[in-house]
Coordinates of all heavy atoms in Angstrom, one line a residue:
M177 N 115.4 102.8 106.1 CA 114.2 103.1 106.8 C 113.0 103.2 105.9 O 113.1 103.8 104.8 CB 114.3 104.4 107.6 CG 113.1 104.9 108.3 SD 113.3 106.4 109.2 CE 114.0 105.8 110.7
Q178 N 111.9 102.6 106.3 CA 110.7 102.7 105.4 C 110.3 104.2 105.2 O 110.4 105.0 106.1 CB 109.5 102.0 106.1 CG 108.2 102.0 105.3 CD 107.1 101.3 106.0 OE1 106.8 101.6 107.1 NE2 106.4 100.4 105.3
S179 N 109.8 104.5 104.0 CA 109.3 105.8 103.6 C 107.9 105.7 103.1 O 107.5 104.7 102.6 CB 110.2 106.4 102.6 OG 111.5 106.8 103.1
L180 N 107.2 106.8 103.3 CA 105.8 106.9 102.9 C 105.6 108.0 101.9 O 106.2 109.1 102.1 CB 104.9 107.1 104.1 CG 105.0 106.1 105.2 CD1 104.2 106.6 106.4 CD2 104.6 104.8 104.8
V181 N 104.8 107.7 100.9 CA 104.3 108.8 100.0 C 102.9 109.0 100.5 O 102.0 108.1 100.5 CB 104.4 108.4 98.5 CG1 103.6 109.4 97.6 CG2 105.8 108.3 98.1
V182 N 102.6 110.3 100.9 CA 101.3 110.6 101.3 C 100.6 111.5 100.3 O 101.2 112.5 99.9 CB 101.3 111.4 102.7 CG1 100.0 111.8 103.2 CG2 102.1 110.5 103.7
V183 N 99.5 111.1 99.8 CA 98.8 111.8 98.7 C 97.5 112.4 99.3 O 96.7 111.7 99.8 CB 98.5 110.9 97.6 CG1 97.8 111.7 96.4 CG2 99.7 110.1 97.1
D184 N 97.4 113.7 99.2 CA 96.2 114.4 99.5 C 95.5 114.7 98.2 O 96.1 115.2 97.3 CB 96.4 115.7 100.2 CG 97.1 115.5 101.6 OD1 96.7 114.7 102.3 OD2 98.1 116.2 101.8
L185 N 94.2 114.3 98.1 CA 93.5 114.5 96.8 C 92.0 114.8 97.0 O 91.4 114.5 97.9 CB 93.7 113.2 96.0 CG 93.0 111.9 96.5 CD1 91.9 111.5 95.6 CD2 94.0 110.8 96.6
T186 N 91.5 115.4 95.9 CA 90.1 115.7 95.8 C 89.7 115.3 94.3 O 90.3 115.8 93.4 CB 89.8 117.2 95.9 OG1 90.2 117.6 97.3 CG2 88.3 117.5 95.7
P187 N 88.9 114.2 94.2 CA 88.5 113.8 92.9 C 87.7 114.8 92.2 O 86.9 115.5 92.8 CB 87.6 112.5 93.2 CG 87.9 112.2 94.6 CD 88.3 113.4 95.3
V188 N 87.9 114.9 90.9 CA 87.1 115.8 90.0 C 86.4 114.9 89.0 O 85.4 115.4 88.3 CB 87.9 116.9 89.3 CG1 88.4 117.9 90.4 CG2 89.0 116.4 88.5
N189 N 86.8 113.7 88.8 CA 86.2 112.7 87.9 C 86.4 111.3 88.5 O 87.5 110.8 88.3 CB 86.8 112.8 86.5 CG 86.1 111.9 85.5 OD1 85.7 110.8 85.8 ND2 85.9 112.4 84.3
K190 N 85.4 110.8 89.2 CA 85.6 109.5 89.9 C 86.0 108.3 89.0 O 86.7 107.5 89.4 CB 84.4 109.2 90.7 CG 84.2 110.2 91.9 CD 83.1 109.9 92.8 CE 83.0 110.9 93.9 NZ 82.0 110.6 94.9
A191 N 85.4 108.3 87.8 CA 85.8 107.2 86.9 C 87.2 107.3 86.5 O 87.9 106.2 86.4 CB 84.9 107.3 85.6
V192 N 87.7 108.4 86.2 CA 89.2 108.6 85.9 C 90.0 108.3 87.1 O 91.1 107.6 86.9 CB 89.4 110.0 85.4 CG1 90.9 110.3 85.2 CG2 88.7 110.3 84.1
V193 N 89.6 108.6 88.3 CA 90.4 108.3 89.5 C 90.5 106.8 89.6 O 91.5 106.3 90.0 CB 89.8 109.0 90.7 CG1 90.5 108.5 92.0 CG2 89.9 110.5 90.6
A194 N 89.4 106.1 89.4 CA 89.4 104.6 89.5 C 90.3 104.0 88.5 O 91.1 103.1 88.9 CB 88.0 104.1 89.4
E195 N 90.3 104.5 87.3 CA 91.2 104.0 86.3 C 92.7 104.3 86.6 O 93.5 103.4 86.6 CB 90.9 104.6 84.9 CG 91.8 104.2 83.8 CD 91.5 104.9 82.5 OE1 90.6 105.7 82.4 OE2 92.2 104.6 81.5
Y196 N 92.9 105.5 87.1 CA 94.3 105.9 87.5 C 94.8 105.0 88.6 O 95.9 104.5 88.6 CB 94.3 107.4 87.8 CG 95.5 107.7 88.7 CD1 96.8 107.9 88.2 CD2 95.4 107.8 90.1 CE1 97.9 108.2 89.0 CE2 96.5 108.1 90.9 CZ 97.7 108.3 90.3 OH 98.8 108.6 91.1
S197 N 93.9 104.8 89.6 CA 94.3 104.1 90.8 C 94.7 102.6 90.5 O 95.7 102.1 91.0 CB 93.2 104.1 91.8 OG 93.5 103.4 93.0
A198 N 94.0 102.0 89.6 CA 94.3 100.6 89.2 C 95.7 100.6 88.4 O 96.5 99.7 88.7 CB 93.2 100.1 88.3
L199 N 95.9 101.6 87.6 CA 97.2 101.6 86.9 C 98.3 102.0 87.8 O 99.4 101.4 87.7 CB 97.1 102.7 85.7 CG 96.1 102.3 84.6 CD1 96.0 103.5 83.7 CD2 96.6 101.1 83.8
A200 N 98.1 102.9 88.7 CA 99.1 103.3 89.6 C 99.6 102.1 90.5 O 100.8 102.0 90.8 CB 98.7 104.5 90.5
A201 N 98.6 101.3 90.9 CA 99.0 100.2 91.8 C 100.0 99.2 91.1 O 100.9 98.7 91.7 CB 97.7 99.4 92.2
E202 N 99.8 99.1 89.8 CA 100.7 98.2 89.0 C 102.1 98.8 88.9 O 103.1 98.1 88.9 CB 100.2 98.0 87.6 CG 99.0 97.1 87.6 CD 99.3 95.7 88.1 OE1 100.3 95.1 87.7 OE2 98.5 95.2 89.0
T203 N 102.2 100.2 88.9 CA 103.5 100.8 88.8 C 104.3 100.7 90.1 O 105.5 100.9 90.1 CB 103.4 102.3 88.4 OG1 102.8 103.0 89.4 CG2 102.6 102.5 87.1
L204 N 103.7 100.4 91.2 CA 104.3 100.3 92.5 C 105.2 99.0 92.6 O 106.2 99.0 93.3 CB 103.3 100.3 93.6 CG 102.5 101.6 93.8 CD1 101.4 101.3 94.8 CD2 103.3 102.7 94.2
K205 N 104.7 98.0 92.0 CA 105.3 96.6 92.2 C 106.8 96.6 92.0 O 107.5 96.0 92.9 CB 104.6 95.6 91.3 CG 103.2 95.4 91.7 CD 102.5 94.4 90.8 CE 101.0 94.2 91.3 NZ 100.3 93.3 90.4
P206 N 107.4 97.1 90.9 CA 108.9 97.0 90.8 C 109.7 97.7 91.9 O 110.9 97.5 92.0 CB 109.1 97.6 89.4 CG 107.8 97.6 88.7 CD 106.8 97.7 89.8
Y207 N 109.0 98.6 92.6 CA 109.7 99.4 93.7 C 109.3 98.9 95.1 O 109.6 99.6 96.1 CB 109.4 100.9 93.4 CG 109.7 101.3 92.0 CD1 108.8 101.3 91.0 CD2 111.1 101.6 91.7 CE1 109.2 101.6 89.7 CE2 111.4 101.9 90.4 CZ 110.5 101.9 89.4 OH 110.9 102.2 88.1
S208 N 108.6 97.8 95.2 CA 108.1 97.2 96.4 C 107.2 98.2 97.2 O 107.2 98.3 98.4 CB 109.3 96.8 97.3 OG 110.1 95.8 96.7
G209 N 106.5 99.0 96.4 CA 105.5 99.9 97.0 C 104.2 99.3 97.2 O 103.8 98.4 96.4
E210 N 103.5 99.7 98.2 CA 102.1 99.2 98.4 C 101.2 100.2 99.1 O 101.7 101.0 100.0 CB 102.1 97.9 99.2 CG 102.6 98.0 100.6 CD 102.5 96.7 101.4 OE1 101.5 96.0 101.2 OE2 103.4 96.5 102.2
F211 N 100.0 100.3 98.7 CA 99.0 101.2 99.4 C 98.8 100.6 100.7 O 98.5 99.4 100.9 CB 97.7 101.2 98.6 CG 97.7 102.1 97.4 CD1 97.8 101.5 96.1 CD2 97.6 103.4 97.5 CE1 97.8 102.3 95.0 CE2 97.7 104.3 96.3 CZ 97.8 103.7 95.1
I212 N 98.9 101.4 101.8 CA 98.6 100.9 103.1 C 97.3 101.6 103.7 O 96.8 101.1 104.6 CB 99.8 101.1 104.1 CG1 100.2 102.5 104.2 CG2 100.9 100.2 103.6 CD1 101.3 102.7 105.3
A213 N 96.9 102.6 103.0 CA 95.6 103.3 103.4 C 95.2 104.2 102.3 O 96.0 104.8 101.6 CB 95.8 104.1 104.7
K214 N 93.9 104.2 102.1 CA 93.3 105.2 101.1 C 91.8 105.3 101.4 O 91.2 104.4 101.7 CB 93.6 104.9 99.7 CG 93.1 103.6 99.1 CD 93.6 103.4 97.7 CE 93.3 102.0 97.1 NZ 93.6 101.9 95.7
G215 N 91.3 106.5 101.2 CA 89.9 106.8 101.4 C 89.6 108.2 101.9 O 90.5 109.0 101.9
H216 N 88.4 108.4 102.2 CA 88.0 109.7 102.7 C 88.5 110.0 104.1 O 88.6 109.0 104.8 CB 86.4 109.9 102.7 CG 85.9 110.1 101.3 ND1 85.6 109.0 100.5 CD2 85.5 111.2 100.7 CE1 85.1 109.5 99.4 NE2 85.1 110.8 99.5
I217 N 88.9 111.2 104.3 CA 89.5 111.5 105.6 C 88.5 112.0 106.6 O 87.4 112.5 106.2 CB 90.6 112.5 105.5 CG1 90.1 113.9 105.0 CG2 91.7 112.0 104.6 CD1 91.0 115.0 105.2
E218 N 88.8 111.8 107.9 CA 88.0 112.4 109.0 C 88.9 113.4 109.7 O 89.9 113.0 110.2 CB 87.5 111.3 109.9 CG 86.7 111.8 111.1 CD 86.3 110.7 112.0 OE1 86.3 109.5 111.7 OE2 85.9 111.1 113.2
V219 N 88.6 114.6 109.6 CA 89.4 115.7 110.3 C 89.2 115.6 111.8 O 88.1 115.8 112.2 CB 89.1 117.1 109.7 CG1 89.9 118.1 110.4 CG2 89.3 117.1 108.2
L220 N 90.3 115.5 112.5 CA 90.2 115.5 113.9 C 90.6 116.8 114.5 O 90.2 117.2 115.6 CB 91.2 114.4 114.5 CG 90.8 113.0 114.1 CD1 91.9 112.0 114.6 CD2 89.4 112.6 114.5
R221 N 91.4 117.6 113.8 CA 91.8 118.9 114.2 C 92.3 119.7 113.0 O 92.9 119.2 112.1 CB 93.0 118.9 115.2 CG 93.4 120.2 115.7 CD 94.5 120.2 116.6 NE 94.8 121.5 117.2 CZ 95.5 122.5 116.5 NH1 95.9 122.3 115.3 NH2 95.7 123.6 117.1
G222 N 91.9 121.0 112.9 CA 92.3 121.8 111.8 C 91.4 121.7 110.6 O 90.3 121.2 110.7
E223 N 92.0 122.2 109.5 CA 91.2 122.2 108.2 C 91.9 121.4 107.2 O 93.2 121.4 107.1 CB 91.0 123.6 107.7 CG 90.2 124.5 108.6 CD 90.0 125.9 108.0 OE1 90.0 126.0 106.8 OE2 89.9 126.8 108.8
A224 N 91.2 120.6 106.4 CA 91.8 119.8 105.4 C 91.7 120.5 104.0 O 90.6 121.0 103.7 CB 91.1 118.4 105.3
G225 N 92.7 120.4 103.2 CA 92.7 121.0 101.9 C 92.1 120.1 100.9 O 91.7 120.5 99.8
H226 N 92.1 118.8 101.2 CA 91.5 117.8 100.3 C 90.6 116.8 101.1 O 90.8 116.7 102.3 CB 92.6 117.0 99.6 CG 93.5 117.8 98.7 ND1 93.0 118.1 97.4 CD2 94.7 118.4 98.8 CE1 93.9 118.9 96.8 NE2 94.9 119.1 97.7
V227 N 89.8 116.1 100.4 CA 88.8 115.2 101.1 C 89.2 113.8 101.2 O 88.6 113.0 101.9 CB 87.4 115.3 100.3 CG1 86.9 116.7 100.4 CG2 87.5 114.7 98.9
M228 N 90.3 113.4 100.5 CA 90.8 112.0 100.5 C 92.3 112.0 100.7 O 93.0 113.0 100.5 CB 90.4 111.3 99.2 CG 88.9 111.1 99.0 SD 88.6 110.2 97.4 CE 89.0 108.6 98.0
K229 N 92.8 110.8 101.1 CA 94.2 110.6 101.3 C 94.5 109.2 100.9 O 93.8 108.3 101.1 CB 94.5 110.9 102.8 CG 96.0 111.0 103.0 CD 96.3 111.4 104.5 CE 95.9 112.8 104.8 NZ 96.8 113.9 104.4
A230 N 95.7 109.0 100.4 CA 96.3 107.7 100.1 C 97.7 107.7 100.8 O 98.4 108.7 100.7 CB 96.4 107.4 98.7
V231 N 98.1 106.6 101.3 CA 99.4 106.4 101.9 C 100.0 105.2 101.3 O 99.4 104.1 101.3 CB 99.3 106.3 103.4 CG1 100.7 106.1 104.0 CG2 98.6 107.5 104.1
I232 N 101.2 105.4 100.7 CA 101.9 104.3 100.0 C 103.3 104.1 100.7 O 104.0 105.0 100.9 CB 102.2 104.7 98.5 CG1 100.9 105.2 97.8 CG2 102.8 103.5 97.8 CD1 101.1 105.9 96.5
A233 N 103.5 102.9 101.1 CA 104.8 102.5 101.8 C 105.8 102.0 100.8 O 105.5 101.2 99.9 CB 104.5 101.5 102.9
F234 N 107.0 102.4 101.0 CA 108.2 101.9 100.2 C 109.3 101.5 101.2 O 109.3 102.0 102.3 CB 108.7 103.1 99.3 CG 107.8 103.4 98.2 CD1 106.8 104.4 98.3 CD2 107.9 102.8 97.0 CE1 106.0 104.7 97.3 CE2 107.1 103.1 95.9 CZ 106.1 104.0 96.1
P235 N 110.2 100.7 100.8 CA 111.3 100.3 101.7 C 112.2 101.4 102.1 O 112.8 101.4 103.2 CB 112.1 99.2 100.9 CG 111.3 98.9 99.7 CD 110.2 100.0 99.5
D236 N 112.3 102.4 101.2 CA 113.2 103.6 101.5 C 112.9 104.7 100.6 O 112.1 104.6 99.7 CB 114.7 103.2 101.4 CG 115.0 102.5 100.0 OD1 114.5 103.0 99.0 OD2 115.6 101.4 100.1
K237 N 113.5 105.9 100.9 CA 113.2 107.1 100.1 C 113.6 106.9 98.6 O 113.0 107.4 97.7 CB 113.9 108.3 100.7 CG 113.2 108.9 101.8 CD 113.7 110.2 102.3 CE 112.9 110.8 103.4 NZ 113.2 112.1 103.8
E238 N 114.8 106.2 98.4 CA 115.2 106.0 97.0 C 114.2 105.3 96.2 O 114.0 105.6 95.0 CB 116.6 105.3 97.0 CG 117.7 106.1 97.6 CD 117.7 106.2 99.1 OE1 117.1 105.4 99.8 OE2 118.3 107.2 99.7
S239 N 113.6 104.2 96.8 CA 112.6 103.5 96.0 C 111.4 104.3 95.7 O 110.8 104.3 94.6 CB 112.2 102.3 96.9 OG 113.2 101.4 97.1
A240 N 111.0 105.2 96.7 CA 109.8 106.0 96.5 C 110.1 107.0 95.4 O 109.2 107.2 94.5 CB 109.5 106.8 97.8
K241 N 111.3 107.6 95.4 CA 111.6 108.6 94.4 C 111.7 107.9 93.0 O 111.3 108.5 92.0 CB 112.9 109.3 94.7 CG 112.7 110.3 95.8 CD 114.1 111.0 96.2 CE 114.0 111.9 97.3 NZ 115.3 112.5 97.6
A242 N 112.3 106.7 93.0 CA 112.5 106.0 91.7 C 111.1 105.7 91.1 O 110.9 105.8 89.9 CB 113.3 104.7 91.9
W243 N 110.2 105.3 92.0 CA 108.8 105.0 91.5 C 108.2 106.3 90.9 O 107.7 106.3 89.8 CB 107.9 104.5 92.6 CG 106.5 104.6 92.3 CD1 105.8 103.8 91.4 CD2 105.6 105.6 92.8 NE1 104.5 104.3 91.3 CE2 104.3 105.4 92.2 CE3 105.7 106.7 93.7 CZ2 103.2 106.2 92.4 CZ3 104.6 107.4 93.9 CH2 103.3 107.2 93.3
Y244 N 108.2 107.4 91.7 CA 107.6 108.6 91.2 C 108.1 109.1 89.9 O 107.4 109.6 89.1 CB 107.7 109.7 92.3 CG 106.8 110.9 91.9 CD1 105.4 110.9 92.2 CD2 107.3 112.0 91.2 CE1 104.6 112.0 91.9 CE2 106.5 113.0 90.9 CZ 105.2 113.0 91.2 OH 104.4 114.1 90.8
N245 N 109.4 109.0 89.7 CA 110.1 109.4 88.5 C 110.1 108.4 87.4 O 110.7 108.7 86.3 CB 111.5 109.9 88.9 CG 111.4 111.2 89.7 OD1 110.7 112.1 89.4 ND2 112.1 111.1 90.8
S246 N 109.6 107.2 87.6 CA 109.7 106.1 86.6 C 108.9 106.5 85.4 O 107.9 107.2 85.5 CB 109.2 104.8 87.2 OG 107.8 104.9 87.4
A247 N 109.3 106.0 84.3 CA 108.6 106.2 83.0 C 107.1 105.6 83.1 O 106.2 106.2 82.6 CB 109.3 105.5 81.9
A248 N 107.0 104.5 83.8 CA 105.7 103.9 83.9 C 104.7 104.8 84.7 O 103.6 105.0 84.3 CB 105.8 102.5 84.6
Y249 N 105.2 105.4 85.8 CA 104.3 106.2 86.6 C 104.1 107.6 85.8 O 103.0 108.1 85.8 CB 104.8 106.5 88.0 CG 103.9 107.3 88.7 CD1 102.6 106.8 89.1 CD2 104.1 108.7 89.0 CE1 101.7 107.6 89.7 CE2 103.2 109.5 89.6 CZ 101.9 109.0 90.0 OH 101.0 109.7 90.5
Q250 N 105.1 108.1 85.3 CA 105.0 109.4 84.7 C 104.1 109.3 83.4 O 103.4 110.3 83.1 CB 106.4 110.0 84.2 CG 107.2 110.4 85.4 CD 106.5 111.5 86.2 OE1 106.1 112.6 85.6 NE2 106.4 111.4 87.5
A251 N 104.0 108.2 82.9 CA 103.0 108.0 81.7 C 101.6 108.1 82.1 O 100.7 108.5 81.3 CB 103.3 106.6 81.1
I252 N 101.2 107.9 83.4 CA 99.9 108.0 83.8 C 99.6 109.4 84.6 O 98.5 109.6 85.0 CB 99.4 106.8 84.7 CG1 100.2 106.7 86.0 CG2 99.4 105.6 83.8 CD1 99.6 105.6 86.9
V253 N 100.6 110.2 84.7 CA 100.4 111.5 85.4 C 99.3 112.3 84.7 O 98.5 112.9 85.4 CB 101.7 112.2 85.5 CG1 101.5 113.7 85.9 CG2 102.6 111.6 86.6
P254 N 99.2 112.4 83.4 CA 98.2 113.2 82.7 C 96.8 112.6 83.1 O 95.8 113.4 83.3 CB 98.4 113.0 81.2 CG 99.9 112.8 81.1 CD 100.2 111.9 82.3
L255 N 96.6 111.3 83.2 CA 95.4 110.7 83.7 C 95.1 111.2 85.1 O 93.9 111.6 85.4 CB 95.4 109.2 83.6 CG 94.2 108.4 83.9 CD1 93.1 108.8 82.8 CD2 94.5 106.9 83.8
R256 N 96.1 111.1 86.0 CA 95.9 111.5 87.4 C 95.4 113.0 87.4 O 94.5 113.3 88.1 CB 97.3 111.4 88.1 CG 97.3 111.9 89.5 CD 98.6 112.1 90.1 NE 99.3 113.3 89.5 CZ 100.6 113.6 89.5 NH1 101.4 112.7 90.1 NH2 101.1 114.7 89.0
D257 N 96.1 113.8 86.7 CA 95.8 115.3 86.8 C 94.5 115.6 86.2 O 93.9 116.6 86.5 CB 96.9 116.1 86.1 CG 98.2 116.0 86.8 OD1 98.2 115.6 88.0 OD2 99.3 116.4 86.3
S258 N 93.9 114.8 85.3 CA 92.6 115.0 84.7 C 91.5 114.5 85.7 O 90.3 114.9 85.5 CB 92.4 114.4 83.3 OG 92.4 113.0 83.4
G259 N 91.9 113.6 86.6 CA 90.9 113.0 87.5 C 90.8 113.6 88.9 O 89.9 113.4 89.6
M260 N 91.9 114.3 89.3 CA 91.9 114.8 90.6 C 92.8 116.0 90.8 O 93.7 116.2 90.0 CB 92.5 113.7 91.6 CG 93.9 113.3 91.3 SD 94.6 112.1 92.5 CE 94.0 110.6 91.7
H261 N 92.6 116.7 91.8 CA 93.5 117.7 92.3 C 94.3 117.0 93.4 O 93.7 116.4 94.3 CB 92.8 119.0 92.9 CG 92.0 119.7 91.8 ND1 92.5 120.3 90.7 CD2 90.7 119.8 91.8 CE1 91.5 120.8 90.0 NE2 90.4 120.5 90.6
S262 N 95.6 117.2 93.4 CA 96.4 116.4 94.4 C 97.7 117.1 94.8 O 98.2 118.0 94.1 CB 96.7 115.0 93.9 OG 97.5 115.1 92.7
Q263 N 98.2 116.6 95.9 CA 99.5 117.0 96.4 C 100.2 115.7 96.9 O 99.5 114.8 97.5 CB 99.5 117.9 97.6 CG 98.9 119.3 97.3 CD 98.9 120.1 98.6 OE1 98.6 119.6 99.7 NE2 99.2 121.4 98.4
F264 N 101.5 115.5 96.5 CA 102.2 114.3 96.9 C 103.3 114.7 97.9 O 104.0 115.7 97.6 CB 102.8 113.6 95.7 CG 101.9 112.8 94.9 CD1 100.8 113.4 94.3 CD2 102.1 111.5 94.7 CE1 99.9 112.6 93.6 CE2 101.2 110.7 93.9 CZ 100.1 111.3 93.4
H265 N 103.5 114.0 99.0 CA 104.5 114.3 100.0 C 105.3 113.0 100.3 O 104.7 111.9 100.4 CB 103.9 114.8 101.3 CG 102.9 115.9 101.1 ND1 103.3 117.2 101.0 CD2 101.6 115.9 100.9 CE1 102.3 118.0 100.8 NE2 101.2 117.2 100.8
L266 N 106.6 113.2 100.4 CA 107.5 112.1 100.8 C 107.9 112.2 102.2 O 108.5 113.3 102.6 CB 108.7 112.0 99.8 CG 109.7 110.9 100.1 CD1 109.1 109.5 100.1 CD2 110.9 111.0 99.1
V267 N 107.7 111.2 103.0 CA 108.1 111.2 104.4 C 109.0 110.1 104.7 O 108.8 109.0 104.3 CB 106.8 111.1 105.4 CG1 107.3 111.1 106.8 CG2 105.8 112.1 105.1

């Protein structure tokens, strides 16, 4: 079953976020992951903890976990953390 990684984020350095995003997209390819949505959110109900969201689709949970834990992705985590505050969720 398809799985989604949902990222809630608030940029703290937009240039770093742009660099990270380009690098992150490359790390998805070996795991058949792809961004299916990303951008500023519009709150329809409740309160949002972050101002942006990204949704990444994977063929299954194993692929999503393998991507997140991969050496290629983990190598850019410090860049991610310096450019944004974020939460990652696997659905």
Side-chain angles (χ1 to χ4, degrees):
M177 172 181 279
Q178 183 182 49
S179 289
L180 303 173
V181 171
V182 180
V183 183
D184 296 315
L185 66 113
T186 300
V188 294
N189 183 322
K190 290 183 181 185
V192 172
V193 171
E195 180 182 358
Y196 160 79
S197 185
L199 293 170
E202 289 300 312
T203 68
L204 296 172
K205 292 178 182 179
Y207 305 94
S208 300
E210 64 176 323
F211 284 103
I212 59 172
K214 61 181 172 176
H216 284 85
I217 63 166
E218 179 180 345
V219 177
L220 299 176
R221 182 182 185 282
E223 295 181 31
H226 293 281
V227 298
M228 297 181 74
K229 193 172 293 275
V231 181
I232 309 165
F234 289 91
D236 50 49
K237 282 190 175 187
E238 292 75 20
S239 297
K241 288 179 182 179
W243 162 74
Y244 189 84
N245 293 309
S246 70
Y249 182 71
Q250 289 300 308
I252 64 171
V253 165
L255 185 64
R256 175 195 75 195
D257 292 346
S258 70
M260 68 176 79
H261 299 296
S262 63
Q263 293 179 323
F264 282 60
H265 307 275
L266 178 57
V267 181

